Each structure stands twice: as structure tokens, then as C-alpha cells.
């Protein structure tokens, strides 16, 4: 009985890890997209400033 309980615990831990990893990956991807967007906006802003000068 304890053996089955241990298997269930391991299984649920594995599932939780997969779910958490997916959420972290999504969060990382979102932050990468945001930083890339901010980077492009900054470059566009610099281009505008340069073209004015």
C-alpha cells in the first residue's frame, strides 16, 4: 500500500513539474517578446531622433 502511495506521489510531482515548467516557459517567452518589442521601439525612436538631426 505504501509502495502505491509513493508511486502516486512521484506521478503527481512529475505532473506538477511539467505544468510549472510549461508556465515558466510561457512566461519566459512573453518576457522575451516584451523585451524584443521594447528594443525595437527604442531603435525606432533612435532612428527618428537621428533623422531629425
Amino acid at each position: 500500500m505504501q509502495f502505491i502511495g509513493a508511486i502516486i506521489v512521484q506521478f503527481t510531482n512529475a505532473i506538477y513539474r511539467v505544468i510549472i515548467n510549461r508556465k515558466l516557459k510561457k512566461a519566459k517567452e512573453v518576457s522575451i517578446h516584451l523585451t524584443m518589442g521594447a528594443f525595437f521601439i527604442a531603435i525606432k525612436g533612435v532612428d527618428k531622433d537621428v533623422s531629425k538631426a
Side-chain angles (χ1 to χ4, degrees), residues 4-48:
I4 292 167
I7 289 171
I8 290 166
V9 167
Q10 289 294 322
F11 192 64
T12 49
N13 282 350
I15 290 169
Y16 276 126
R17 241 178 254 140
V18 167
I19 291 166
I20 289 165
N21 282 344
R22 279 191 189 157
K23 282 188 180 171
L24 284 177
K25 266 191 194 165
K26 275 188 185 170
K28 275 184 191 169
E29 281 168 18
V30 167
S31 64
I32 287 166
H33 283 306
L34 288 177
T35 48
M36 288 289 278
F39 191 63
F40 283 125
I41 289 165
I43 289 170
K44 279 181 187 169
V46 168
D47 283 346
K48 279 179 192 166

